Amino acid sequence: DALRPDEKCDEIMFQAYILSHAASILLHRPFSHLDPAYLHVVTTCEPPKSHPALSNRFNTHTKHVATSATALSNMIIHRTPLLHHTHFFVCAVTLSSTIHLSRWNLTAVESSHADQDDLRQLIRVNIGALNKISAVWICAQRAEAQIQRVAQEIYNNISSMEAQRLLAGRAVRRRIKEARLPKDEEKEE
């Protein structure tokens, strides 16, 4: 924990934890199956994007990346003022956000609403932190806007996919019903 015995934040330890989680993300992301192509909009504090590997979607690297991104988001809620952190904190929050957005985009079709809600909550926490720290670091404002734009695009795509699935389900039920009608009419004759 980055708290000293007097309950104050040890900024050096806090930065060390951030560095550790950010390094884990940067190390494992090239081998994970999170698709960074969708996140071309988020450029603040981001290294060049790599393409995902071609095996199991939820390999060990993907799990390491997701765990580190969640740990970074959880560090936001430490009992320490966000405005006391360095510029590197902005980059770490941005990095964490890109991972959450990639996971949300990747798993939107197959995950439960509870899983999606958890990811959206982590994204909201990150956006809130960027909003707060933008009073000190102007790049946080730019990162916040970029992350919000991508989150809105993903949300719109998911809403569109859910509407298409709903309409397709109705169409299938209607076709099944129509297919049964002639058989029922033949039985009546």
Side-chain angles (χ1 to χ4, degrees), residues 57-180:
R57 176 179 289 180
F58 299 108
N59 64 9
T60 304
H61 297 289
T62 305
K63 291 174 186 170
H64 280 292
V65 168
T67 301
S68 291
T70 301
L72 283 171
S73 293
N74 289 336
M75 291 185 76
I76 292 170
I77 58 175
H78 266 224
R79 296 172 288 191
T80 151
L82 292 176
L83 300 180
H84 293 175
H85 299 308
T86 66
H87 175 269
F88 182 60
F89 180 70
V90 174
C91 293
V93 171
T94 303
L95 182 62
S96 170
S97 298
T98 61
I99 298 305
H100 297 320
L101 290 167
S102 291
R103 285 179 56 208
W104 187 26
N105 187 50
L106 178 71
T107 62
V109 176
E110 56 205 37
S111 68
S112 69
H113 286 289
D115 291 338
Q116 288 184 39
D117 287 343
D118 290 345
L119 282 171
R120 282 196 304 257
Q121 186 62 30
L122 289 170
I123 294 166
R124 283 187 201 109
V125 166
N126 288 5
I127 289 172
L130 290 170
N131 183 313
K132 180 79 172 173
I133 205 166
S134 67
V136 175
W137 301 106
I138 194 69
C139 66
Q141 188 176 23
R142 192 171 47 247
E144 175 192 4
Q146 292 171 345
I147 290 164
Q148 284 179 326
R149 190 172 353 160
V150 173
Q152 187 63 50
E153 286 178 30
I154 293 171
Y155 179 79
N156 291 343
N157 287 345
I158 291 170
S159 297
S160 174
M161 286 187 303
E162 287 177 354
Q164 288 174 357
R165 262 190 275 148
L166 181 63
L167 290 174
R170 287 180 184 166
V172 167
R173 285 191 297 274
R174 188 179 70 238
R175 286 186 193 134
I176 291 170
K177 185 178 178 182
E178 289 170 357
R180 289 182 188 163

